[in-house]
Amino acid sequence: MGHQRSENTLVIRIMVVEEIGLLRSALRTVLSSEHDLEVVAEIGEQRSILPVAARERPDVVVVDVDLTAADTRGVLTRLREQLPHVALLALSGRWTADSLRRALAAGTLGFAGTDVTPAQLVRIVRSVAGGNRVIDPAVAAAVLNPPPNPLTTREREILSAAAEGLPPKEIANRLYLAHGTVRNRMSAILRKTGARNRLEAIRRAQERGWL
């Protein structure tokens, strides 16, 4: 894997997929500083992954996106089907057993946390470019030692019902609770998950294995 820059240098072509512009620039700076790495594309939108990869033909795609989302996994799966030589390296600040399993199913080869050092990131990129599976020790530790679930049994029941798409009134009827109780418990759920709304709370709870 890699492209020849000169007689003595094999260059690894990299595409960076990061929604946050500042982080995208930081990744480009870190990776481009290495003589054998070249960032050939950097994108912030998931919909651009397939056309840009088809045009640039990267060796490694570094992605920091929500791998629990079905549409994201679908795009990455199609990428691997269309460009089987491409190695996927996934970054995430919240690895769980579920997100690791989903990333594996999408064909991901490398796994790292967003707090990985520049030197570690460069080593992982080189390793996955060579076809090796790499799981950063911090990722393994996060998966094997997940944070305790802060949600009570009743809060998990309410959030599970919300994940089915039930409105608060129907949740209250199903669980034999007052409507005000469901509203108060949902407020507690948002606070504990750090979410702005119930959809975000559902996603975060699922990512962390709390639901």
Side-chain angles (χ1 to χ4, degrees):
M1 200 175 277
H3 294 70
Q4 207 77 27
R5 175 176 283 172
S6 68
E7 292 184 1
N8 301 317
T9 305
L10 191 64
V11 176
I12 299 169
R13 294 167 60 83
I14 303 166
M15 183 170 85
V16 173
V17 183
E18 166 58 65
E19 297 170 337
I20 302 174
L22 185 61
L23 296 181
R24 192 163 62 246
S25 297
L27 287 170
R28 181 194 64 222
T29 299
V30 168
L31 297 171
S32 297
S33 67
E34 300 295 318
H35 73 282
D36 60 336
L37 305 181
E38 179 183 5
V39 177
V40 296
E42 50 175 298
I43 60 177
E45 296 180 335
Q46 174 181 295
R47 63 185 179 184
S48 301
I49 292 176
L50 293 177
V52 173
R55 183 182 71 236
E56 299 296 342
R57 313 291 291 187
D59 301 307
V60 177
V61 175
V62 179
V63 295
D64 182 7
V65 291
D66 180 13
L67 288 169
T68 63
D71 55 343
T72 300
R73 297 196 307 276
V75 168
L76 297 181
T77 299
R78 290 196 298 276
L79 172 64
R80 294 283 295 131
E81 292 172 349
Q82 295 177 19
L83 299 172
H85 74 279
V86 170
L88 293 177
L89 167 55
L91 303 178
S92 176
R94 296 191 185 94
W95 283 107
T96 65
D98 181 61
S99 61
L100 184 64
R101 177 183 59 79
R102 292 172 186 266
L104 282 167
T108 304
L109 203 58
F111 307 84
T114 50
D115 58 350
V116 68
T117 68
Q120 289 171 328
L121 178 62
V122 168
R123 284 198 298 271
I124 294 173
V125 167
R126 288 175 178 147
S127 188
V128 298
N132 302 304
R133 170 155 288 151
V134 181
I135 300 180
D136 177 45
V139 174
V143 171
L144 295 174
N145 300 289
N149 190 339
L151 303 179
T152 66
T153 299
R154 182 60 85 185
E155 288 167 349
R156 290 197 300 272
E157 291 174 345
I158 290 172
L159 198 57
S160 294
E164 295 178 26
L166 297 181
K169 186 175 181 180
E170 291 186 30
I171 293 174
N173 291 337
R174 173 186 287 190
L175 300 177
Y176 303 101
L177 297 172
H179 183 263
T181 299
V182 171
R183 186 174 59 247
N184 292 338
R185 292 293 182 98
M186 187 59 72
S187 295
I189 290 169
L190 296 182
R191 185 179 68 254
K192 290 180 179 180
T193 59
R196 292 167 294 184
N197 53 58
R198 72 175 192 166
L199 291 179
E200 186 174 337
I202 292 166
R203 179 177 60 81
R204 291 191 177 190
Q206 291 173 336
E207 286 178 353
R208 300 171 189 178
W210 294 343
L211 192 59

